[in-house]
Amino acid sequence: MNHEAIQNLLNRKSCRQFTEEQIDPEKLELKKKLQWLYMACVMIPLVLTDGIILFNLFSSEQVQLQQEMEDQAEAVRYYLISTMEQAAFTADSIAANGQIRDFLDRKYPTALSYVTEYQKMMTNHFFANNGGVNTSTITVYTDNYTIISGGEFGKISDIKGEEWYKTAAKSEKDALLMFSYDNWRSPVTDANRRILYLRKMNSAAGDSCQKVIRIEINYSKVIRDIDGMNYELPMYLCRDGKVLLSNMKDNYLTRPFADFELHDRVGYQKDIILYGDTYQLYVLEKEDQLWTQIKKNAPLILLLLVINLCLP
């Protein structure tokens, strides 16, 4: 047998031996056991550890975000209640002022006699300080036909057609808070959003005239104050599906109140009851909240990825 034949024989024997070893059932079984052992002792604990770390991380972020939304809602709620209570205190002070009641009930024979008494009334410390509140106007209306409308006083007959008065007249409540879009005189005057606190002056002993107090809270100032809180999360105060106030740049004074259409983004809701009416205060989650959390924790995520690649 020549050298080439011997070499071929040895090669066939080697291949047959390798094939037998390759398909050896015991070795295959051992290989599977080692694979399962690797999965059970290395990969599964690694994945579980990463999952627990990321879950705790994002859960902590969510708890922090929830607390932030609650704090924002509570701050806005406190501000709104404080602002409305200040207007209510002013209205109660007017209603309890006997000098003002006497002035509004008195019948004036001439315009001059009314103007004379009006000038005396304006020396009243209460009106000199605008009731002590930061409001646009404080006006008391009466059905005394002998007064002259202007300044802080007016005739009910002049405002009977306005929606706010119709609402107050129909209501059984003595005090009302209204967010109104006043387009009654449009286009003669520009339509505007208004916040009104209305207080009926219930007839006391000796009163001869019906009276109602109208306090217009400065809508623009309320918006500026809420913006000045510098909260990043979008906030909306709503009632009957309409957006009344917001810290977003869509508080257009001359436009009607828009519908609230962001229910799917609401992260926190708080109901506020103001003078018998329920308002919804919505705080929204950030639109890209998930990506924000990922970017914020990118170093830790990259570290876990490097460990996962190197450890096995």
Side-chain angles (χ1 to χ4, degrees):
M1 184 179 295
N2 58 29
H3 178 75
E4 184 177 354
I6 293 173
Q7 186 64 41
N8 289 336
L9 180 62
L10 290 174
N11 288 340
R12 285 197 299 271
K13 184 178 180 181
S14 176
C15 289
R16 185 167 61 252
Q17 184 179 3
F18 175 76
T19 304
E20 289 175 355
E21 290 178 356
Q22 187 180 30
I23 61 175
D24 186 348
E26 292 184 2
K27 291 185 177 182
L28 285 176
E29 186 67 23
L30 179 60
K31 184 178 180 180
K32 289 181 180 179
K33 288 181 179 180
L34 289 174
Q35 289 175 341
W36 281 109
L37 188 63
Y38 175 79
M39 290 292 294
C41 297
V42 179
M43 293 304 298
I44 292 178
L46 192 62
V47 171
L48 288 176
T49 302
D50 291 349
I52 292 172
I53 292 174
L54 292 176
F55 175 79
N56 289 335
L57 180 66
F58 284 103
S59 295
S60 176
E61 293 279 348
Q62 191 61 36
V63 169
Q64 183 178 349
L65 176 62
Q66 188 69 21
Q67 187 61 51
E68 182 181 345
M69 290 189 290
E70 291 180 13
D71 291 345
Q72 179 172 337
E74 183 60 27
V76 174
R77 185 193 75 87
Y78 177 81
Y79 168 77
L80 291 173
I81 290 177
S82 176
T83 300
M84 306 314 166
E85 285 184 346
Q86 193 175 29
F89 176 79
T90 300
D92 290 344
S93 298
I94 293 174
N97 191 307
Q99 185 181 358
I100 296 175
R101 284 183 176 274
D102 292 342
F103 171 76
L104 294 173
D105 283 332
R106 190 178 307 161
K107 296 298 186 289
Y108 301 95
T110 64
L112 179 60
S113 63
Y114 171 78
V115 171
T116 301
E117 292 300 321
Y118 175 81
Q119 290 174 341
K120 292 179 182 178
M121 178 58 64
M122 287 303 98
T123 62
N124 188 310
H125 179 73
F126 182 86
F127 284 106
N129 290 278
N130 198 30
V133 295
N134 189 356
T135 57
S136 296
T137 55
I138 301 176
T139 311
V140 185
Y141 293 93
T142 176
D143 60 1
N144 182 350
Y145 66 92
T146 65
I147 75 165
I148 300 173
S149 294
E152 289 75 11
F153 304 102
K155 296 178 183 178
I156 288 179
S157 58
D158 294 338
I159 45 91
K160 274 191 173 180
E162 297 194 25
E163 289 301 320
W164 69 265
Y165 179 76
K166 293 178 182 178
T167 301
K170 292 177 182 177
S171 176
E172 296 180 356
K173 295 185 291 186
D174 291 334
L176 297 90
L177 179 67
M178 290 181 58
F179 287 79
S180 69
Y181 179 67
D182 185 2
N183 61 350
W184 187 65
R185 294 186 177 91
S186 180
V188 178
T189 59
D190 292 335
N192 279 297
R193 297 181 180 185
R194 302 184 190 279
I195 306 175
L196 303 177
Y197 180 82
L198 310 175
R199 168 75 153 80
K200 298 176 183 177
M201 292 179 66
N202 293 330
S203 296
D207 283 1
S208 60
C209 300
Q210 178 188 357
K211 309 173 193 67
V212 61
I213 303 165
R214 179 185 188 269
I215 297 180
E216 181 177 343
I217 299 168
N218 193 319
Y219 185 94
S220 296
K221 182 181 182 300
V222 171
I223 294 299
R224 289 195 302 271
D225 289 345
I226 292 177
D227 285 342
M229 295 180 183
N230 294 323
Y231 286 111
E232 294 183 2
L233 297 174
M235 183 283 303
Y236 295 85
L237 179 72
C238 302
R239 182 167 181 258
D240 297 331
K242 298 291 185 181
V243 177
L244 307 178
L245 295 170
S246 171
N247 63 347
M248 306 304 290
K249 306 303 180 184
D250 55 359
N251 296 293
Y252 302 106
L253 291 176
T254 58
R255 294 185 185 179
F257 297 110
D259 294 330
F260 180 70
E261 300 176 342
L262 300 173
H263 294 279
D264 57 331
R265 286 185 55 199
V266 173
Y268 183 77
Q269 174 182 344
K270 190 175 190 67
D271 290 341
I272 304 176
I273 299 177
L274 297 172
Y275 302 97
D277 295 323
T278 302
Y279 298 80
Q280 292 74 44
L281 188 59
Y282 299 117
V283 181
L284 307 189
E285 294 180 342
K286 292 180 180 178
E287 197 166 8
D288 56 348
Q289 183 61 31
L290 177 60
W291 287 110
T292 300
Q293 289 182 339
I294 291 175
K295 287 188 290 184
K296 181 179 179 180
N297 298 290
L300 178 59
I301 295 173
L302 289 175
L303 177 61
L304 291 176
L305 182 60
V306 171
I307 294 174
N308 291 345
L309 292 174
C310 298
L311 185 60

